[in-house]
Amino acid sequence: MTFQPPPPGAYEALMQFMYQAPIGLVQTTLDGDIVMINPMSAQLLMPLSPCGNLLNLFDVLSPLAPNLRELAAGAAPPGQVVCDRWRLALPDAQRRPGMPNALNLHLLRLDDTHLMATLSDATLDVQREQQAIAAQLHAATREDRLTAMPNRTALVERIDRELGRQQDEAGHGFAVVLFNADRFERINLMLGKPIGDAVLRLMASRILSVAHALQPGSAWTARLGGDEFAVVLGETSASLLAERTLEALARPYLIGDLEVHLTASAGATTASHSEQSAEELLQDATLAMQDAKMSGGSRYRAFDASMRECAQRRAIVEADLRQALAEGQLFVVYQPIIDLRTQALAGAEALVRWRHPERGIVPPIEFIEVAEATGLIGLLGEWMLNESCRQLVEWQRTLGALAPGYVSVNLSRAQITEPLIVDAVARALAMTGLPPASLQLEVTESLAAQGDGIRSRLVELKSLGLTLALDDFGTGYSSLASLHEMPIDVIKIDRSFVMDAVSSAHHRVLIDAVVMVARSLGMRTVAEGIETAEQQALLSRLECDRGQGYFISRPLAANDAGAWFAARREELELID
Ligand code: C2E
Ligand code: MG
Ligand code: MG
């Protein structure tokens, strides 16, 4: 191909072309001195050169590309690219509205003496890239990493949209159902976090598949964090979804060779009016879920307004109880326990009471549960232990042989599951100087029947030298046949049996059986809640070892209890 000289007028045409080109073209010397520049280049470079001086390209660009001059000097053969599509962004201070704030630069060694630069406006490209990054970030902040489900933020947005729809479309109803595994921390603790994560992923996929099978395309799932999941769906399907999902979640989870078992609880709420906020709806569903858990877990509850009142009451009790502990409003009452054969004093059960500044004396049933739910039971229980042990030591000192042989202190579930309980009991004994054999701890039947962890905790406690009693026997799940597996010394037969014993042969047979099995295992029996002489005589005939109840004595404040103990032997001598 031979070079064709430009036809007449072509030079002007070329100049015109350069003049109007929508891209910046600059020709410079090897050192950057501008030889030719078209208007687009001037327009793009002007914001970089506030004094309007466009003499040297490298000088103008130096704030954005300080090493351009060296790079260009190093580019040897003509035709070599010095830099290819560099993105040069203007510092914020130099940005002006309507002016480019980012440039694309391409620099080429043209021949032995010249460089050729092309410049274009990259403002839109930068904007598009930033939007893409923002969209990715937005998606990432709305996705749960572990399960790839939408997260809590996304859930709140989704509920907000549903609430908006409810405002626009009459009759649009929806429900939020929350799922939470029962005692999931056990899995992380015992099997490790990787197994816990694997279980969570499987839970997510089960929830997803139940939801989609029930409402294809419209049910929407999310993970709120931890072991908590949510489904948003049409309001009429909430209970069906909850039941099916709970069933699905209770199936064993196969992870490698491991088979993990768990149950979950569910709470649901339906949006009743559009003035509710997403957070309020989530709170209601959470209250329903907590109610399901407090009723024993592995069940579903729909929200009703009384749950909110209950929660508010609990919060008030919690705050008051903290104050009670700090200000010494708690005190202990002691209920005498007698030997049913000799009628002599055997021991005393310590029961907590609260002298509330406004409500008067509050019974434990109104605050033990709150103390358990809020973790205050640890402090309360430790205080009870110390105070009861201290009191018995004092009675031993002042009453001598007339003092009760032991004090029996109730432990609640939350205390037993806490490993530090063993230290706390040992400390109470050491600090007060009470001989361990003078301390009895009462645990409820349902608790003692549970897993190996609890059993070994009870064995540890027993090894301190104290005795263990199984409280409220007959109300829980354990059977006579399983008694021999429990590390206990005393069985307390629940008041409900004692109450009916006089009128019901069935109850008499049951008590008889408990007494016989206990005796065969070397355990003692205590009848709780003896309210009449007839009941006491009957229990004595059934050879129950000990008894306590209003007929013998109501629980008494320490001073009154001391006086009762002191008078007991004299009373018995008078009876004789
Ligand atoms: P519990 O351990 O079974 O205690 C016996 C309860 O029966 C006591 O109620 C006692 O006052 C009551 N009672 C005793 N004799 C009779 C009777 O003849 N008739 C009737 N109707 N009731 C009788 P209280 O003191 O209200 O305690 C209730 C429950 O609260 C206790 O049941 C125990 O589970 C729990 N509790 C009490 N104090 C503590 C404590 O310090 N720590 C823990 N964790 N729980 C406690
Ligand atoms: Mg008790
Ligand atoms: Mg009891």
Side-chain angles (χ1 to χ4, degrees):
M1 197 172 92
T2 50
F3 177 73
Q4 298 284 325
Y11 178 75
E12 287 77 8
L14 186 63
M15 288 310 290
Q16 191 74 3
F17 169 73
M18 275 193 55
Y19 195 82
Q20 287 179 347
I23 189 163
L25 298 166
V26 188
Q27 193 176 8
T28 72
T29 62
L30 290 185
D31 196 40
D33 288 340
I34 294 175
V35 182
M36 277 198 283
I37 180 164
N38 73 346
M40 179 52 90
S41 292
Q43 192 183 324
L44 292 173
L45 291 175
M46 206 53 92
L48 288 173
S49 176
C51 56
N53 173 349
L54 289 180
L55 297 176
N56 184 291
L57 183 67
F58 299 154
D59 291 345
V60 174
L61 291 178
S62 69
L64 309 182
N67 55 348
L68 207 54
R69 181 169 270 120
E70 288 91 84
L71 270 179
Q80 190 180 357
V81 173
V82 179
C83 69
D84 186 16
R85 267 174 298 160
W86 274 18
R87 171 71 49 80
L88 309 179
L90 255 66
D92 285 346
Q94 287 181 28
R95 294 186 181 189
R96 302 278 177 276
M99 302 288 264
N101 55 35
L103 301 176
N104 281 329
L105 168 72
H106 184 88
L107 188 63
L108 178 81
R109 171 92 182 244
L110 204 57
D111 52 33
D112 287 340
T113 48
H114 289 100
L115 297 164
M116 171 80 177
T118 59
L119 288 159
S120 60
D121 184 352
T123 310
L124 276 180
D125 295 347
V126 169
Q127 260 170 20
R128 269 195 292 271
E129 282 160 14
Q130 281 172 345
Q131 278 162 0
I133 292 170
Q136 275 169 9
L137 275 175
H138 180 85
T141 55
R142 272 148 192 79
E143 187 184 284
D144 170 54
R145 288 246 191 96
L146 183 70
T147 60
M149 270 184 170
N151 64 8
R152 194 180 199 287
T153 313
L155 173 66
V156 169
E157 287 172 356
R158 170 75 192 206
I159 297 176
D160 277 336
R161 275 203 302 283
E162 294 287 340
L163 286 168
R165 253 185 87 186
Q166 198 171 45
Q167 234 161 17
D168 301 340
E169 296 168 32
H172 175 73
F174 69 98
V176 182
V177 190
L178 292 188
F179 294 95
N180 191 302
D182 296 328
R183 299 193 295 128
F184 189 80
E185 65 287 354
R186 205 173 32 114
I187 293 175
N188 276 339
L189 215 67
M190 282 159 47
L191 305 175
K193 209 167 166 299
I195 302 279
D197 284 352
V199 172
L200 287 172
R201 268 189 232 109
L202 288 173
M203 283 179 73
S205 74
R206 290 182 191 183
I207 291 170
L208 201 69
S209 66
V210 175
H212 284 183
L214 197 65
Q215 280 195 353
S218 65
W220 192 90
T221 57
R223 175 175 177 236
L224 279 85
D227 56 342
E228 191 145 302
F229 296 87
V231 181
V232 179
L233 81 174
E235 62 181 331
T236 51
S237 306
S239 64
L240 189 59
L241 171 96
E243 275 154 30
R244 287 194 189 162
T245 308
L246 289 186
E247 252 174 56
L249 292 177
R251 286 201 306 272
Y253 296 77
L254 274 177
I255 292 154
D257 302 337
L258 263 180
E259 199 179 288
V260 180
H261 294 260
L262 64 79
T263 59
S265 298
T269 187
T270 45
S272 49
H273 52 90
S274 47
E275 289 89 66
Q276 277 168 301
S277 71
E279 288 296 346
E280 280 166 352
L281 279 175
L282 276 176
Q283 245 172 34
D284 290 351
T286 304
L287 284 175
M289 210 239 333
Q290 284 169 348
D291 194 78
K293 292 215 166 196
M294 279 193 278
S295 314
S298 184
R299 67 196 66 204
Y300 160 70
R301 285 274 192 269
F303 171 78
D304 76 72
S306 69
M307 292 176 184
R308 207 176 292 147
E309 286 154 29
C310 267
Q312 279 160 356
R313 257 204 313 277
R314 264 204 309 275
I316 293 173
V317 171
E318 184 192 348
D320 277 9
L321 193 54
R322 279 186 197 281
Q323 199 173 353
L325 276 160
E327 295 182 1
Q329 294 168 10
L330 298 183
F331 66 104
V332 189
V333 291
Y334 298 87
Q335 186 171 38
I337 299 169
I338 62 163
D339 184 315
L340 284 178
R341 201 170 42 79
T342 63
Q343 307 223 16
L345 172 68
E349 177 170 2
L351 297 158
V352 67
R353 294 289 181 269
W354 177 4
R355 194 178 290 108
H356 193 283
E358 285 136 37
R359 292 164 62 197
I361 306 292
V362 185
I365 189 164
E366 291 183 30
F367 61 91
I368 289 286
E369 207 181 285
V370 177
E372 286 192 338
T374 55
L376 283 174
I377 194 74
L379 278 177
L380 187 155
E382 226 168 291
W383 178 82
M384 272 299 286
L385 270 168
N386 286 321
E387 180 54 21
S388 312
C389 293
R390 187 202 61 74
Q391 183 63 64
L392 183 53
V393 169
E394 188 181 318
W395 280 327
Q396 286 172 341
R397 189 167 49 77
T398 55
L399 299 176
L402 298 179
Y406 63 93
V407 66
S408 199
V409 181
N410 294 282
L411 289 190
S412 68
R413 149 193 279 285
Q415 284 174 277
I416 302 268
T417 47
E418 170 60 62
L420 290 174
I421 184 69
V422 184
D423 293 338
V425 173
R427 217 171 25 244
L429 289 169
M431 262 167 51
T432 58
L434 184 73
S438 302
L439 178 64
Q440 181 169 293
L441 297 176
E442 299 191 7
V443 295
T444 58
E445 184 191 345
S446 53
L447 187 60
Q450 264 168 18
D452 282 348
I454 300 278
R455 218 191 99 86
S456 57
R457 185 73 31 76
L458 293 178
V459 170
E460 262 184 275
L461 281 170
K462 235 176 99 86
S463 71
L464 295 174
L466 45 79
T467 55
L468 289 180
L470 198 55
D471 206 357
D472 307 338
F473 185 77
T475 58
Y477 311 93
S478 57
S479 65
L480 281 176
S482 62
L483 274 180
H484 72 279
E485 293 166 6
M486 301 182 191
I488 52 158
D489 310 279
V490 176
I491 296 168
K492 297 191 77 170
I493 301 169
D494 191 65
R495 188 164 65 88
S496 54
F497 284 78
V498 174
M499 216 158 56
D500 293 334
V502 175
S503 59
S504 150
H506 173 70
H507 283 85
R508 282 197 296 279
V509 171
L510 282 176
I511 295 175
D512 202 31
V514 176
V515 171
M516 283 201 307
V517 172
R519 188 157 302 158
S520 75
L521 295 171
M523 299 172 183
R524 277 188 217 281
T525 43
V526 178
E528 296 189 279
I530 296 178
E531 292 186 352
T532 64
E534 219 178 346
Q535 285 169 354
Q536 181 171 331
L538 176 63
L539 268 304
S540 170
R541 238 188 356 267
L542 291 172
E543 298 191 359
C544 184
D545 297 304
R546 289 172 179 168
Q548 77 184 91
Y550 292 172
F551 178 68
I552 299 152
S553 168
R554 286 193 173 251
L556 301 167
N559 279 342
D560 298 336
W564 194 96
F565 301 147
R568 183 65 184 171
R569 188 180 294 169
E570 265 173 52
E571 255 174 54
L572 287 182
E573 280 163 7
L574 283 179
I575 294 169
D576 286 348

